[in-house]
Amino acid sequence: RELSSEDPMLKRDGFEDILEERRNSSDLKYALRCYAPVLYKGVTPCKANMLKNIVLQSDQLHYVINQVSQESGEAPDIIQEEASVILEEMAHRLQISTVRFFAFALSKAFKTLFQHVCVNEEGIQRLQQAIQEHPVVLLPSHRSYMDFLLMSYILYTYDLALPVIAAGMDFMGMKFVGEMLRMSGAFFIRRSFGGDKLYWAVFSEYVKTMLRNGFAPIEFFLEGTRSRTCKSLTPKLGLLNIVIEPFFKGEVFDVNLVPVSISYERILEESLYARELLGVPKPKESTSGLLKARRILSEDYGSIHVYFGQPVSVRSLAQGKVNRSKYNLFPRHIPRKPMEETQSFVNDTAYRIVRLQEDNMVLKPWVLMASLLLQNLEGLELSVLTEQTLWLRGLALSYAAFLDWPDHAPTAKVVSSSLALHRGLACVSGGRVSLVVGEPLGPVTPEEAVFNRAVSVLSCASYRNQVLHVFLRPAMLAVAMHTPQFNLHLSDEVYNCFSFLWDVFSNDFILCPGDTVQDFEEACYLLVKTGAVQMPQQDIEMTDRGQPILSFFNGLLEPFLQGYQVVCRYLCEEASEGLTEKQYIPAVRSFAVKLILAGNLRCYEVLSSDMQKNALAALLRMDAVRKVKVADHVTLIVNKMAVNSIDDILGKCRMISHINQTQISPSFSLIAVAEDLYRDGLTQSYIR
């Protein structure tokens, strides 16, 4: 396998299928083989009890213990015992025997579930070097429960030091499994600490002790939780602050942050995620639930691609941005709130890492097909879908998408094999492709019919969402160009509308703070590059060739424009004065269902709790809504004038995009676009 590219700056590594050897040799021998990973500067692995003693004896923890003792009036010895109990509950107990058991069991499971597990070996070599030089923090994307098992499996396969992994406390409650995870490197933390100063001190000192001494790479998910939508989530900064702090305080020379992109051809939890987004409670993690999930072993989940990115040096990133000398003014053991410039640096770093994760996500043909099917919910002729997928492939490649497309395979075969793998989501009937809606067991109410249709749409949307980062910026520009008040297409006016959309959607997508101008320029460059627009003087004009491209981009953002508008209208027209934050999502969902049943709304994605939460977060950030605590509830105070204004602009964006969103039909002009993209040398692809 190799990656070809006309642009050497865009070159990405090739992949190796690690299951190939597993299919041809003994899993038992693999699990019991000699395992001798190289460690950071040759340190001796630290036993779990020794690590806990180092933490409990640290100056920082003693300082906090004395502080809590003074505040609570309890003796320091009692607080010390509490800290010890917290640490006992939290700490990992890595044992090689448990690791070997998982190596054997996961080999069996992966060979059953997946066709290939592909890893970029050059990334593994870079990681091996990084582990020996400086403390390493592994930052994988998070789309499935499988992620942290997969990471440890890969590192064991390549004889690299196994990571210690931050895991939610809910996993600890799983009988037997929780302890096995602990013995394979997991340490358990609460989902939220509240104002528990002692818990935070124990947790942060535990992580920093492991990092400072380089006992093992530390692994956690920047997004904090699995993405149910398969879009990247806004990064959480707590753990990143902790692992970067030792560098700021001069306790380590550098820290290497390694972004890891994990791409699933078919997601194990796809229908579960859709139901969670529609308000069905998440099943509690349990051993019995795990055993019941064995039925997935009879399914085919395609391939996984795991891409280990270039290690990011915190020292290099911080150069000229953070004045570390300020940390010398205070004793290191006294906890301090991060300074403003430090917080800004950590926030910027988090966004950059998530963008790197996105850039190295491997996309399969199905994500392109899902994008087209969602713009044609009534279905598409198979021949039309095939030609449109070929067209969209050319567009994606011209925008530097990391696309896994079988080399020399006819497009029709690629499309049919994708439909076969995702037969639970789409089917072919009478030569026409449409989304599959689950068959009810008996009579259903109109509301239940809407729910079943929404499960199908949201499951499909989780695949379309995987390609959004490729098209997002030019798509926002496409919408901005067609908004009525900007008919002149003057670049300054179009930029103002682009900036509005950028601000509104910055909770839904990874848009790095302060990058509005840079993102606008990138969008202009990409649309000009593919011949969709031209920019004479200060104007931005659509070309004849650009109609299908801009039409597709308008359709891509239509669900988000419509979803946010439904939220605005609910808050202005239906919301009661005492609407609480807890009532908000069920109320918006009920409002949207009524609109769908009345025939006034066709967008099922509006029912997603993720979209509803992000829309509210945007309105809060834009001061159109405020939160006020009343007794035990948080009440939403709506500035109807501000919300109406936002609704009005979104409506204008939608009105014109709806007019321009014609069905992209197979035609000579579309095929010509694809052929021109290839001929112009704008493509880059991962060739199998």
Side-chain angles (χ1 to χ4, degrees), residues 4 24 95 206 244 313 325 343 381 506 533 565-566 583 616 632:
S4 65
N24 298 310
Q95 292 183 11
Y206 180 65
I244 288 179
S313 160
S325 63
Q343 198 62 29
E381 293 295 322
S506 58
V533 302
Q565 202 173 12
V566 167
Q583 295 168 336
L616 178 61
D632 295 331

Side-chain angles (χ1 to χ4, degrees), residues 87 113 145 221 294 384 412 446 496 590 602 620 681:
L87 189 56
L113 288 168
Y145 275 139
F221 302 108
R294 285 178 302 172
V384 173
N496 290 336
S590 177
R602 294 185 64 228
L620 287 164

